[in-house]
Amino acid sequence: MASSSTFRAARVRRLILHVITALCVFFVLAPLVVVILNSFSSVSYNKFPPPGFSLKWYENIFQVPEFGNSAVYSLVLAALSTVLATVIGAMASYAFVRGRLFAKGLISGAILASLVVPKIVLGVGLFVFFAKIGGYGQLWSVVVSHAVISLPFVVTLVSAAMVGLDRSLEEASRDLGASPFTTFRQIVLPQIRVSITVGALFAFIVSFDQLESTIFLLKPGTETLPIALFNYTIKHQDPTVAALSSLMILFSVALVIVAAVLLKRGNAMEALRRTQESQK
Amino acid sequence: MSDQGQAGPPHAEPSQAGVPHAVEIRGVRKAFQGAVALDGVSIDVPDGSFFSLLGPSGCGKSTLLRVISGFESPDAGTLHIAGRDMTDTPPNRRPTAMVFQRWALFPHMNVRDNVAYGLRLRKTGKQRIRARVDELLALVGLEEHSAKRPSQLSGGQQQRVALARALAIEPRVLLLDEPLASLDLKLRLQMQLELKRIQREVGTTFVFVTHDQGEAMTMSDAIAVMKDGRVQQIGSPQEIYDEPRSAFVADFIGDTNLLELDEPVRDGRMTVGGRTFAAPDRAAAGGEGDGGCKALSLRYERVRVGEELDCANVADAAVEEVVFFGGSIRYRVRLDGNAQELVAEVPRTGVETPYPIGARIRVGWDPNAAIALAS
Ligand SMILES: Nc1ncnc2c1ncn2[C@@H]1O[C@H](COP(=O)(O)OP(=O)(O)O)[C@@H](O)[C@H]1O
Ligand SMILES: [Mg+2]
């Protein structure tokens, strides 16, 4: 009897777990589903579910010149900040994992801080900073800002990969005559390539989706895609925004899938190597 | 810094005939967060020799090797390689190459690229690299595996790749950190011979770290025995075996009986556990370079067992333990009338009946078979 009641308790617990999980998934996905369904709406006012199907809002995207210009700007911005964040992030990870660094905890804390600071606050801070040093409204200042925001993603992923590396491989390389830089390029990099690629993809997505911090950094007239969307919604309430958002969701999801596949393959290769080694 | 402390060996003479020692270590100290790993080490490694660093785990062998290769910088002391001061030279500018304990092969490169790594860094021509790698793969017997990844090789094969990779850059000194420790016994014995052959063929100085005294004995031209970050003794395998200077060395290298003297040797006589025996000539002369010895080492195989013994030191004893070793038998016996134990290792002739436990026998040894120990 006691055992049947524990069974029942376990079943109830599992049921609660499933319900909570389902609710979480629902609340994350529901807004996206609403947006995507609305993007195919036949009417211009907000009605859910939409009364009919049409593709006219997708066509309308191309009638708004701000979207095209800001998309180009966003892509350039994301590409540049990704390069910056990835290069700095990979080097910083190497220093954190291998280096004898002064105040290591403080520096890595500072790099990760942008994860927890609200982006609006960060945006205001960056605005004041760049206004002071004369970088306000310049592309490079936005690139730097986005790199700062993406850096934690790169550092977390890459240093996790680096912790698992066998240090004696790097020593073997130095021993055979390689400089520290050559050792990083020839020995370390090939082993963490997957993590760096995935980190770069995340950095790209983070930059491409960034709204709150960017708002303060751009002069009126230059827009990123999220800002163009934001401005458009202020003036118009038609589902063009939903259509464009759906495309952006599709783009981000595609990047995440690529990242996941890469990571999985990386893990699979790693696991394969480990098992082969353990069989000896 | 002055040179070494009291444990330093008297091996600091300049190299003969103008050929610099492959490695000259002088008074090297190294501590990790206060824990002393090397405590004033001085060693000369003759050019072209197979030199072993032997000692129990944790005695500082790896640390010393890492000082030579440049991965650790000594807190004090100097290091010369081939006559040049390398104390502060980074590892990539030293003419040394290391075979790591777990080999450290590059997992993302095949065997050929692993071996070619050091040559590529030196901007050697493609043709030359190819020829040299082929030559090395032949030397270690891996011609057929050149396209494989390290993960596709057995332990012994990976070991050979590591060796070929290190030899490729033609180092003045090859450093090997217990490279055989993770191989099984049979493979280990085979690789010992192989390493020795390769060392003879290439003529490079090998500094070989091991905690296995048998390995050190069979392979080395010279051995430095280490303990607690200090060098205990340096010499040829035979010197170290036959003339250990301390109880530690005597015991670590092969099996030995320790005879503690009740009082200093007088008139060529010594007392052990209340009984008097003839002392070895060396001990009678006052020990080797210090005031009287307090203990002797007597190798198991130098103790004789039987009814009629013609050696000067003879005693009655009782057998307490018998152990078969295939080719020999070990008896642990206790001398009559005192607490002194001896172990005797006797070769088997195949016809004798071993003494049973409790049997009363006579044991004896030639006085000069016992070695006076300095400490
Ligand atoms: N990087 C290190 N940090 C702290 N202690 C170390 C380090 N390397 C070695 N040691 C210590 O130094 C001593 C000698 O170590 P090691 O040279 O590895 O000995 P062996 O190779 O003879 O086993 C040991 O007590 C070890 O714990
Ligand atoms: Mg060691």
Side-chain angles (χ1 to χ4, degrees), chain A residues 100 166 168-180 182-183 186-188 190-191 273 276-277 280, chain B residues 66 69 71 90-92 96-98 100 104-109 117-118 121-122 150-151 153-154 158 165:
Chain A
R100 282 180 213 147
D166 179 357
S168 61
L169 297 185
E170 291 147 56
E171 290 184 342
S173 164
R174 295 295 310 281
D175 194 52
L176 293 167
S179 65
T182 306
T183 298
Q186 302 259 9
I187 305 301
V188 178
Q191 297 185 83
R273 198 166 64 82
Q276 277 175 346
E277 250 154 47
K280 286 190 284 255
Chain B
R66 291 172 62 80
S69 57
F71 294 118
N92 47 326
T96 60
M98 177 105 109
F100 287 79
L105 300 179
F106 305 131
H108 56 289
M109 297 181 191
Y117 188 79
L121 292 170
R122 279 160 183 72
S151 57
L153 300 178
S154 72
Q158 292 188 45
R165 183 180 70 176

Side-chain angles (χ1 to χ4, degrees), chain A residues 251-271:
Chain A
F251 180 59
S252 293
V253 167
L255 287 186
V256 170
I257 289 174
V258 171
V261 168
L262 280 176
L263 264 185
K264 195 153 180 213
R265 191 182 304 161
N267 284 345
M269 298 291 279
E270 181 63 12

Side-chain angles (χ1 to χ4, degrees), chain B residues 32-33 37 56-63 72:
Chain B
F32 296 102
Q33 293 103 42
S57 174
C59 73
K61 308 180 296 289
S62 295
T63 305
E72 305 286 357

